[in-house]
Amino acid sequence: MASVGMHEAKTHLSRLVERALAGEEIVITRRGEAVVRLAPLEQRRIPFAEAFGTLPDVEIADDWDELPEDVARALGMVD
């Protein structure tokens, strides 16, 4: 566990956040006394299809990611 002073924390916050995200616990001190712990939040990423596939009455078409031909032509993607 790393300990840094308030001034250093303000000066190097981005660097300290990166260290915390990498798993290191950072304690911020004020006048030598620990006052705050910097640690990453627990977050679970849900895949798009899983998130929308679990909603009631929601269906995702097999061709949801295909452009209609007229739209593709308008964008210059098809001759």
Side-chain angles (χ1 to χ4, degrees):
M1 173 171 48
S3 178
V4 297
M6 188 69 69
H7 178 73
E8 182 182 352
K10 289 191 297 184
T11 304
H12 301 290
L13 181 60
S14 295
R15 189 176 308 154
L16 293 172
V17 167
E18 290 304 317
R19 288 172 53 187
L21 289 173
E24 186 176 352
E25 188 172 296
I26 311 290
V27 172
I28 300 174
T29 63
R30 183 177 353 181
R31 295 183 194 94
E33 182 179 329
V35 292
V36 175
R37 181 179 63 238
L38 182 61
L41 295 174
E42 297 287 330
Q43 293 183 349
R44 179 177 177 257
R45 291 187 175 251
I46 300 173
F48 177 82
E50 180 184 330
F52 286 98
T54 59
L55 296 174
D57 302 324
V58 173
E59 293 182 21
I60 300 174
D62 292 335
D63 64 348
W64 71 271
D65 61 344
E66 295 176 14
L67 283 177
E69 189 173 332
D70 59 330
V71 174
R73 187 174 294 113
L75 294 173
M77 301 172 76
V78 176
D79 293 326

